[in-house]
Amino acid sequence: MIKNWFKNIGPGPLVAAAFIGPGTVTVCTLAGVGFGYALLWAMLLSIIATVVLQEMAARLGIISQKGLSEVIRSEIKNPVFKTLAIILILSAIVIGNTAYEAGNISGGVLGLETIVGKPSISVAGLSINLLSIVIGFVAFVLLYIGNYKLLEKVLVSLVILMSIAFLITAIITKPNISEILKGAFIPKFPKDSILTIIALIGTTVVPYNLFLHASLVKEKWHHKADLKFARKDTIIAVVLGGLVSMCIIISAASIQTQDISNAADLAKGLEPLFGSFAKYFLAIGLFAAGITSAITAPLAAAFVASGCLGWSTNMKAKKFRAVWMFILLVGVISSSIGIKSIEIIKFAQVANGILLPVIAGFLIWIMNKQSVLGIHKNNVKQNLFGFIILGISILLSLATLNKVFHLNLF
């Protein structure tokens, strides 16, 4: 049975790998340290929203055998709207993923540094972190081979490693189960928690994952009969990913100090309480989170750019490779010399904040088109869930704009 499940495992774990990056680890850490178990319900809500939207993206990919950006190009007939949609998508996904890539690589480096120290060399007065180059090289090799099955196996292994590492870290902290259940099922809004709640949802319901999923399912599955495998794959992987995020919140909640700003501080905070082995489990999880996101972010951007611009989405096509190579290169350089591209990341946050309701709205619209999906279009229940999530994504978008531009909307 397990062998059969592994055979039918698909892009779901890659989607989970994409949303559990170092940014997610940091947000979950801050949520746990700042509010204990009180915000676990926001993660539960995020998991449900992600399952609903990713199932739609997977269904679209299998039935149409096209990526989401390809469908956008073909279904928006008005040239002005089409151009605006393409510009917004390219800005948010391609530029956004370029901005986040340095953080993905740096997160993987933080995990490795806990285990092997900080190897660096000095070139022209600049201190270059060698671990950034190592992670960049591993990501380059896996992406350049362009073999979906190999990529899938490596990322599934890393996701399993990450899941085990964070789960063990959470168990070590001996959490209070009844308090966890209260935090997960009884929504609370502690003082000053609204931005953390928004961040927890925003870091899980990720626009670029919708594009990545729709593009990857057609690499794995080609027949309508495969929908049941895709649905099961999506639910298992996203729920597992959400549990990993919850484990990070639970681990962080056990730390008594408030002087924690990222996952590296979480590792230091756990050490005096639970010994050095807890720190190492966390380091392995952080490394896996960093390297998986460092691979999936450039891959998603390449699928999006190729679909939007009408290029081949074959993973070995020259233009496809050029996109992910550029993003990976910028990420490696920025990470290895320690550039903090705050302004670009702010731009990416705004673009992604605007993009989520736009893409969620477009996805719901397209999922109701019989001409695209036939009998596999959305039913009433799927639309109901979809519109609730659309409403949440609009609030998220307003909150992101509020956070970046200090508009005092909340």
Side-chain angles (χ1 to χ4, degrees):
M1 183 184 162
I2 291 174
K3 188 180 175 185
N4 197 37
W5 181 72
F6 270 105
K7 183 184 163 193
N8 289 314
I9 207 167
L14 277 72
V15 169
F19 77 70
I20 310 171
T24 305
V25 176
T26 300
V27 167
C28 291
T29 298
L30 297 176
V33 169
F35 306 101
Y37 305 140
L39 302 185
L40 285 171
W41 65 269
M43 187 50 63
L44 189 62
L45 177 69
S46 304
I47 295 166
I48 295 165
T50 305
V51 166
V52 171
L53 291 179
Q54 295 297 156
E55 188 278 331
M56 287 187 199
R59 193 164 13 117
L60 176 64
I62 290 172
I63 300 300
S64 69
Q65 284 296 297
K66 288 180 182 175
L68 183 52
S69 48
E70 293 168 82
V71 178
I72 287 172
R73 279 186 85 241
S74 61
E75 291 300 320
I76 299 181
K77 307 300 181 192
N78 184 301
V80 176
F81 282 136
K82 183 185 285 193
T83 305
L84 282 173
I86 287 171
I87 290 170
L88 177 61
I89 292 163
L90 286 173
S91 298
I93 307 293
V94 180
I95 298 174
N97 285 13
T98 307
Y100 296 139
E101 183 66 358
N104 293 333
I105 293 170
S106 297
V109 167
L110 272 176
L112 278 182
E113 281 178 350
T114 307
I115 299 165
V116 302
K118 295 185 179 183
S120 61
I121 54 169
S122 190
V123 178
L126 285 173
S127 179
I128 295 173
N129 190 317
L130 292 176
L131 294 178
S132 297
I133 295 167
V134 169
I135 287 175
F137 178 73
V138 171
F140 178 89
V141 170
L142 287 169
L143 287 167
Y144 192 82
I145 290 168
N147 183 317
Y148 170 73
K149 284 185 178 174
L150 173 67
L151 198 61
E152 184 182 84
K153 281 176 184 167
V154 171
L155 287 175
V156 166
S157 303
L158 283 167
V159 168
I160 291 169
L161 177 69
M162 173 169 63
S163 305
I164 293 168
F166 285 130
L167 182 63
I168 290 172
T169 308
I171 291 168
I172 286 167
T173 65
K174 295 179 182 168
N176 183 318
I177 302 299
S178 64
E179 289 299 315
I180 288 173
L181 292 172
K182 274 188 205 168
F185 295 104
I186 303 170
K188 288 179 192 162
F189 295 84
K191 189 173 181 288
D192 299 326
S193 66
I194 191 71
L195 283 181
T196 308
I197 291 167
I198 289 158
L200 284 172
I201 299 169
T203 196
T204 309
V205 190
V206 184
Y208 87 70
N209 265 345
L210 299 172
F211 292 93
L212 182 67
H213 206 172
S215 295
L216 288 177
V217 286
K218 62 189 177 62
E219 298 278 335
K220 173 84 178 180
W221 292 303
H222 309 284
H223 307 290
K224 292 172 185 178
D226 295 325
L227 279 171
K228 62 181 182 216
F229 299 125
R231 196 166 283 130
K232 192 185 288 185
D233 173 61
T234 301
I235 293 167
I236 291 170
V238 173
V239 168
L240 179 66
L243 288 174
V244 168
S245 297
M246 285 181 160
C247 284
I248 300 165
I249 295 173
I250 291 163
S251 302
S254 67
I255 296 177
Q256 307 305 315
T257 175
Q258 294 290 310
D259 190 26
I260 305 280
S261 60
N262 58 40
D265 294 340
L266 174 57
K268 287 178 206 156
L270 284 174
E271 189 169 10
L273 292 170
F274 309 107
S276 60
F277 58 96
K279 179 179 77 171
Y280 290 121
F281 282 122
L282 192 76
I284 291 164
L286 187 57
F287 162 71
I291 196 164
T292 50
S293 294
I295 293 166
T296 51
L299 183 65
F303 275 122
V304 168
S306 301
C308 282
L309 300 170
W311 300 342
S312 167
T313 53
N314 184 312
M315 288 170 71
K316 293 181 180 176
K318 284 182 182 176
K319 288 177 180 175
F320 186 93
R321 280 177 168 169
V323 176
W324 67 250
M325 279 182 188
F326 170 75
I327 289 170
L328 187 58
L329 182 64
V330 171
V332 169
I333 292 169
S334 301
S335 172
S336 59
I337 61 177
I339 292 173
K340 299 278 192 294
S341 48
I342 298 299
E343 292 308 313
I344 303 173
I345 288 171
K346 271 191 177 180
F347 169 79
Q349 282 181 326
V350 173
N352 272 295
I354 296 168
L355 186 69
L356 181 57
V358 171
I359 295 303
F362 181 81
L363 191 58
I364 293 164
W365 171 63
I366 212 84
M367 295 309 292
N368 282 282
K369 292 196 78 147
Q370 195 141 4
S371 58
V372 177
L373 289 144
I375 60 165
H376 298 286
K377 67 176 192 170
N378 272 4
N379 59 32
V380 174
K381 189 169 78 174
Q382 286 164 330
N383 276 332
L384 179 64
F385 276 116
F387 281 113
I388 291 169
I389 293 161
L390 179 60
I392 293 168
S393 70
I394 291 167
L395 286 174
L396 264 177
S397 181
L398 291 171
T400 305
L401 295 172
N402 179 58
K403 181 181 170 186
V404 174
F405 294 115
H406 309 293
L407 301 175
N408 297 317
L409 296 173
F410 294 89

